[in-house]
Amino acid sequence: MRDVPAPVRRAGEVLLRVHAAALNRVDLYMRDSGSGITHSLPQTLGVEAAGVVVEADADSGLVPGQKAVIYSNAFCGQCRYCLAGDQPLCLRAHIMGEHRDGGFAEYVAMPARCVLPLPDHVDLAEAGALLAAYLTAWRMLFGKRALRPGETVLVAGVGGGVAVACLQLAVHAGARVLVTSSSDQKLARAQALGASGAINYRREKVAKRVMEMTGGEGVDMVIDSSGAASWDDSLRSLRRGGRLVTCGATTGSNPPADLQRIFIRQLEVYGSTGGSVEECRQLIALFASGAVRPVIDRRFALDDIRSAFDALSDGSQFGKLVVTMT
């Protein structure tokens, strides 16, 4: 923790007074090394932020005092991907908390196109946990080959922010959701949120149990953000023609590819991260309607952020860890 000058808003930017910002695995990575991500120290971390507009250009559509949430990808708006509306693939992206100062502060400045208004009635602590895990989950479920009502999805390692978000959004979409965890308590909480089947991977063989639960067919989709530790079970849990979507590799990034299984069973493997501005707007509309609310495990004051990082590191949480600035 340190005192620094408030950010100076440039033309085309919005100055936001931050109310809340959730922690994400990338924050741990940036704290510990940030290797491979171009950044200059000192840098404020935090890839999420929700709060109240302090300053904005008159033509921005935003006014002081308005609640807003930040889309963390400061995309260029000019490359082929931005012009196609696929901002997560921007060639010149500068992500808040990775390449530029982030949301673990009282104030943050971002381009106006990255600051999205919120209705007055929403909870800013929940909004501060919305646009990393839940936007990532939205794109994973509905981005490439969308999950459909009546399909079955396996969410590996439920408890983390993305996995819990996938559970909630898949249930809302009318899918059947199976979950895995090493914690019976997390499995029970997942079932309370609508999971129809739960597997403790410490005691049960995941793929075998999935086949039992699906009448020997397998699931339509697997959501896997773990990587090496769960990859084999994830592939073996899929039905013929099923798809696996991955957004992380917390247990290792180089599992056996099992190419024979992939081509013989005609499986699809998708990589996914973040979401587009349009997907973000759709998610915000769902959140504002009250249909889906982020699950917050614990809240921390900004000056206790080290404890929040420790809690994220030990993996004991179910849902999001949120830092509040007020």
Side-chain angles (χ1 to χ4, degrees):
M1 291 293 296
R2 65 175 66 184
D3 290 324
V4 298
V8 177
R9 184 187 73 88
R10 296 182 294 183
E13 291 185 338
V14 172
L15 182 65
L16 190 84
R17 181 176 179 85
V18 180
H19 177 88
L23 274 73
N24 296 277
R25 299 298 303 187
V26 68
D27 298 315
L28 279 178
Y29 181 74
M30 290 298 297
R31 182 198 68 174
D32 294 341
S33 72
S35 176
I37 298 175
T38 302
H39 59 282
S40 299
L41 298 178
Q43 177 178 293
T44 302
L45 302 183
V47 298
E48 292 194 83
V52 175
V53 174
V54 177
E55 297 176 8
D57 292 345
D59 60 355
S60 68
L62 296 161
V63 296
Q66 184 175 24
K67 288 183 178 180
V69 65
I70 290 183
Y71 177 76
S72 65
N73 182 356
F75 56 95
C76 73
Q78 299 174 342
C79 71
R80 60 181 291 187
Y81 300 107
C82 287
L83 294 175
D86 204 3
Q87 295 87 1
L89 295 178
C90 175
L91 296 173
R92 293 179 286 276
H94 288 84
I95 297 174
M96 183 178 78
E98 294 186 30
H99 309 103
R100 56 186 291 157
D101 284 340
F104 296 153
E106 293 176 297
Y107 296 92
V108 65
M110 283 287 282
R113 61 179 176 268
C114 297
V115 182
L116 304 176
L118 294 170
D120 289 339
H121 71 271
V122 302
D123 183 283
L124 284 175
E126 293 180 352
L130 188 66
L131 290 194
Y134 284 79
L135 184 57
T136 297
W138 185 281
R139 189 174 181 89
M140 292 180 80
L141 292 171
F142 311 120
K144 292 280 177 69
R145 187 149 69 90
L147 183 69
R148 297 184 297 272
E151 287 193 312
T152 302
V153 57
L154 172 67
V155 178
V158 75
V162 171
V164 172
C166 283
L167 164 61
Q168 291 178 273
L169 292 172
V171 168
H172 178 76
R176 179 190 182 199
V177 185
L178 310 179
V179 297
T180 74
S181 175
S182 61
S183 165
D184 288 336
Q185 182 181 18
K186 290 182 180 181
L187 293 174
R189 292 191 66 179
Q191 289 178 300
L193 286 174
S196 62
I199 304 167
N200 188 313
Y201 61 74
R202 298 291 187 198
R203 296 196 304 267
E204 302 176 276
K205 294 184 180 299
V206 172
K208 179 181 178 181
R209 189 73 182 99
V210 167
M211 290 301 165
E212 292 172 353
M213 290 177 168
T214 58
E217 184 176 5
V219 299
D220 300 282
M221 176 187 283
V222 174
I223 297 295
D224 191 322
S225 60
S226 174
S230 55
W231 193 258
D232 183 64
D233 275 322
S234 292
L235 288 178
R236 291 177 179 274
S237 296
L238 286 168
R239 66 164 176 82
R240 291 176 179 270
R243 65 265 198 207
L244 188 158
V245 189
T246 177
C247 73
T250 55
T251 63
S253 58
N254 293 293
D258 202 358
L259 292 178
Q260 285 184 318
R261 175 172 295 274
I262 289 174
F263 70 72
I264 289 173
R265 299 179 69 86
Q266 299 191 44
L267 306 178
E268 300 172 77
V269 178
Y270 298 124
S272 187
T273 185
S276 69
V277 173
E278 178 56 31
E279 289 168 326
C280 186
R281 292 194 177 105
Q282 294 171 15
L283 175 61
I284 289 173
L286 185 68
F287 166 62
S289 75
V292 172
R293 298 176 60 186
V295 175
I296 297 177
D297 184 272
R298 275 168 285 174
R299 305 186 188 200
F300 299 83
L302 180 60
D303 59 6
D304 194 28
I305 195 167
R306 287 180 180 271
S307 296
F309 270 101
D310 290 343
L312 181 62
S313 184
D314 70 29
S316 62
Q317 84 279 5
F318 186 92
K320 300 297 294 181
L321 303 171
V322 174
V323 174
T324 56
M325 314 308 163
T326 55

